[in-house]
Amino acid sequence: MKGIVFVEFLEMVEQQFSADLADDLIDNSDLPSGGAYTAVGTYDHTEIVTLVLALSQESGIPVPDLIKAFGEYLFGRFFELYPSFFEGVSDCMDFLSRIEDVIHVEVKKLYPSAQLPKFDIDYPDRDHLVMVYHSDRHLGDLAEGLIQQSIKHFKEQITLERENLDEEGATVRFTLTRAA
Amino acid sequence: MSESPPDPARLQRRLDRVTRARKEAERLLEEKSLELYEANQQLQAHSDDLEHQVRLRTQELEAALDQAKQAAKAKSEFLAVMSHEIRTPLNAVIGLSELLSMEELPESQREQIAVIHKNGQGLLELINDILDFSKMEARRLQLEEIEFSPVLEFKSWMNGFEVQHADRPVRLVLELGALPARLLGDRGRLRQIVFNLLSNAMKFTEQGEVRLSLTCRSLGDDRVHLTLKVRDTGIGMSAQQKERLFQPFTQADASINRRYGGTGLGLAISMRIAQAMGGEIHCESAEGVGTEFCVELRMRKVQERKPSLVSMGEECRCGGTALNILVVEDNQVNQMIISRMSEKLGHKVEVANHGREALEKVSDQTDIVLMDFIMPEMDGLECTRRIRKLDLERQPRIVALTANAFQEDKDHAREAGMDGFLSKPIHVEALRKELCASCPYHQVCEDSRAE
């Protein structure tokens, strides 16, 4: 998993909770990397699971809620770090529908080793968008947070429905509908 | 919890982590930089290689183009030479058979000579078609601008055609609409289209009629639109056959070649001529019913009538004046044919074997010089230029004898100072007309006809 996810996660912990808590999460978890993350590095994705579990234990907030909150936080960071992906994009569905064919393609150019989730996009008209998430990392919650924040970012009246298509959470369908 | 003083051990661990993260980042950065550098080097090498390949390919293409140009040039030259080589003996066959036919001969021999003449003529037309087409392929078709009377020409062409096909049970009909007295355009090329279409119609029509019609519509100023139609009651064509009609070397189907003969170039040539004249040819046909070819052309009409020097189609009444003719020709058979024909027409003939000899023989008394183009010692053009510089009391009329009457040859001939052209093989009738044009009474005759 790309280091940016870890760096941003710890940033979030420092901002939302405290720098000490971030230290504690690292010190209390047995991380192969020792927690010395850099945004451009690549680390085992189980480390993020370990960190999130630790945060959940420390804060008493359920894991899914934490991951969704992180997704929302991460969207804001993406917007700051990669403004070029938002250029010429008029609305939320437009933006999300480009995830697979535009954004992930560019990310792959920058980081050829990056393992990205796959989205099946169905964008039949300007008011409906169906995104089916596939990933063996089971981070549907992260995707949900990202999508949710994307809707907020564009300040649009869109309802988001989520349906897990399997028990493990490897396949999740998100249905976005613009409010009439 | 946040109020407690910083724990030095915790800070130390944090510092250690940050330091390690920085070193890791630096290592990755170095790695990436190196990767980029190498990728850049590879790209540069690739680009150099591509440029090298482009240069190489360009050189190869240039060389190939050069070769192709040279091959095309060699082909043209070969065609010109072959044209001459094939036509010279053919001219002998046609000319001599024409001369023979003027003798008192038993009927059976007369028929045989007619067959020799007709076949020689057919062979010549075939060769002309092939050469003509190669010329058209090689460069743009050049058109002449000659003044002519459409009524006289079309009647004359139709007569000529009728005579050639007198043995066929097919009626030939000529329909002329209201036409300008005189047109300005390439009469020879127009005739070529008419003959191609008529021959075609005749070839595929067993009985009934072949109808040639010509109408004219003014386009304002002096421009006119000509519509020429050739309609037959022949075998017709399928839609499929029609599609391939104007493609060179193609006939409606392969068996036609054996049944009806021909090169399959006639229509392709006609189409190119029509296009050069700002027009086109289209065709309507029904199998078993007949075919109609329609030619649309642009020409200019002559506003004021000027007397023309070349007359066609009507009898000139100024015959009977004996002219002094100098034939300049290196081929002995041609010398004999032209001399005999001229003598039969009542003229006096002297022969020169090449230009240099002609310069010695030409005099104030010479009325007309019949001049070949290609000769040893001195060619026809050079000889003409020199004759024009001679201090003669009276300059003779000089008529070119051309085997291949291409436009550029005619241009050169005019520039050198020639007055007319006779295409080989020389026909008695054409020779008579050309000699008639040189006759001192000719202008009188022309004027009387105009009235």
Side-chain angles (χ1 to χ4, degrees), chain A residues 29-43:
Chain A
S29 310
D30 182 20
L31 301 167
S33 69
Y37 301 115
T38 149
V40 292
T42 305
Y43 307 91

Side-chain angles (χ1 to χ4, degrees), chain A residues 20 23-24 27 33-34 37 41, chain B residues 10 13-14 17 20-21 28:
Chain A
D20 287 348
D23 286 340
D24 290 342
D27 291 339
S33 69
Y37 301 115
Chain B
R10 179 196 287 274
R13 283 201 302 278
R14 197 181 288 175
R17 269 205 314 276
R20 270 192 289 131
L28 286 168

Side-chain angles (χ1 to χ4, degrees), chain B residues 421-433:
Chain B
F421 303 92
L422 271 178
S423 320
K424 292 181 193 173
I426 309 292
H427 297 290
V428 174
E429 187 53 23
L431 181 65
R432 194 187 61 73
K433 277 176 186 154

